[in-house]
Amino acid sequence: MAKFKKKSNTSQEIPTASLPDIIFMLLFFFMVTTVLRETTINVEQRIPAATELRKLQRKSLVSYLYLGKPKQGQWGTQPKIQANDVFIETKDIVLWVTQEKDKLSEVERDQITIALKIDKEVKMGLVSDVQLELREVNARKILYTTAQDMDY
Amino acid sequence: MRTKRGTPEINGAPMADIAFLLLIFFLVTTTIANDKGLSLLLPPKPDEENKSEIKIKEHNMFKILINSADRLLVEGEPLDDPRKIRQMVTDHVMNYGKNPKMSDSPKDAVISFKADRGTTYELYIKVLNNVQGAYYDMYAARAGVTNKQWRDIASDLGDPENKRIYTIARKDFPMAISIAEPSKIGGS
């Protein structure tokens, strides 16, 4: 039995020298995968969930419109449209899309996708007004940004 | 002559702390961009040339109406659960003339979807999700893949193999979802 009681000479401590390496690896992963938010969103954004999601292939072709109730009271309580950093009216969408299209190269202009980030509570009237304007400027590819629904 | 010293060693233990601090900073400040959602192609701008009325037979239409109080009316019947629409759409499209009240063939089937200006966006998305889901299920079955795989194929048509599968499955099987302009009665 004494055989088993033999004391090993190896140290009991776990070497922590490689810990920074692991943390750095995680750090780089997050640095690479995440994008710093460029715009401050001034409207409420409770994005609805859906199951049949499609992924956008080319992010460079995407422009974002945010619809929702303004977060600050000074802008009123009615849902508003936010593009980039400012609130715009429905009639300004035509100009905005044209500006967004100008940022793309000649061949890609017709492939522009408008991602609509719309709050749950927004009424369809406003959404439809936006869509009509988008049709008007021939930006017909749209994407209703939604979250993944876990219920199904 | 200088006295020989031992190689100076820097204590490496706090490095982990610095790295942790940076890691937490990035975790907090960044949001993982979600560019996923329901994709939709809006109809072209109505112009004078192709204003001709297209006649669609009544029984080929599957009508979904939502009023300003978020009540659903599907094929003339009130409906509570928007999830039921999925099966109903599938039945309608895959009818092949069996039921005279439903579509003649998938090619002729049209889903007509109309909301009110006062309908909430949330319900609109739920309904659209179920209608598109029904179509994705049918396409996936035709292509012999799962629903998820089909959506990935349809999102990436740059790949020739994907394009081939997509074309075969979509042949004579259009995803005809007609979204009408919302009515103004009982508006927001």
Side-chain angles (χ1 to χ4, degrees), chain A residues 58-129:
Chain A
R58 297 191 46 198
K59 278 190 184 160
S60 57
L61 298 175
V62 187
S63 296
Y64 298 90
L65 271 185
Y66 308 91
L67 270 70
K69 232 189 244 175
K71 277 179 189 165
Q72 280 134 5
Q74 54 172 321
W75 301 105
T77 51
Q78 285 302 309
K80 284 181 99 72
I81 309 157
Q82 187 189 345
N84 303 332
D85 261 334
V86 285
F87 288 125
I88 58 169
E89 297 294 322
T90 2
K91 60 174 175 16
D92 302 329
I93 290 176
V94 174
L95 182 67
W96 176 75
V97 173
T98 322
Q99 283 168 351
E100 291 294 311
K101 275 189 177 177
D102 282 345
K103 287 181 194 165
L104 303 172
S105 69
E106 200 87 44
V107 280
E108 288 168 335
R109 272 181 203 166
D110 290 329
Q111 296 173 44
I112 192 169
T113 308
I114 310 292
L116 296 169
K117 296 198 170 182
I118 309 177
D119 187 83
K120 276 178 188 182
E121 301 288 305
V122 174
K123 303 285 184 203
M124 280 312 291
L126 183 68
V127 179
S128 150
D129 289 344

Side-chain angles (χ1 to χ4, degrees), chain A residues 19-20 23-24 26-27 30-31 34-37 48-57 59 64 116-129 131-132 134-136 139-146 152, chain B residues 12 15-16 19-20 22-23 26-27 29-46 83 86 115-122 124-125 128-130 133 136 147 151 154-156 181-182 188:
Chain A
L19 193 69
I23 303 304
F24 266 120
L26 271 169
L27 177 67
F30 275 95
M31 279 172 73
T34 55
V35 198
L36 280 165
R37 193 177 272 174
T51 52
E52 314 298 328
L53 306 186
R54 294 264 297 264
K55 216 177 181 172
L56 281 174
Q57 283 304 308
K59 278 190 184 160
Y64 298 90
L116 296 169
K117 296 198 170 182
I118 309 177
D119 187 83
K120 276 178 188 182
E121 301 288 305
V122 174
K123 303 285 184 203
M124 280 312 291
L126 183 68
V127 179
S128 150
D129 289 344
Q131 283 176 196
L132 272 179
L134 292 178
R135 265 172 75 178
E136 207 57 43
R140 285 164 52 207
K141 272 182 83 178
I142 59 165
L143 185 95
Y144 298 114
T145 306
T146 53
Y152 289 77
Chain B
M15 187 142 90
F20 257 123
L22 276 168
L23 177 67
F26 273 95
L27 269 170
T29 54
T30 58
T31 44
I32 292 174
N34 68 320
D35 278 324
K36 286 179 176 176
L38 304 181
S39 98
L40 190 72
L41 188 68
L42 296 174
K45 180 163 66 171
R83 272 182 251 183
R86 200 180 181 123
D116 189 275
R117 286 187 75 85
T119 306
T120 56
Y121 174 68
E122 191 180 19
Y124 171 81
I125 283 297
L128 186 67
N129 181 49
N130 281 297
Y136 291 146
N147 184 317
R151 280 182 276 135
S155 299
D156 186 15
E181 235 177 274
S188 51

Side-chain angles (χ1 to χ4, degrees), chain B residues 148-163:
Chain B
K148 175 84 180 69
Q149 283 169 327
W150 169 260
R151 280 182 276 135
D152 289 342
I153 288 169
S155 299
D156 186 15
L157 292 176
D159 189 86
E161 177 65 13
N162 283 354
K163 182 87 186 163

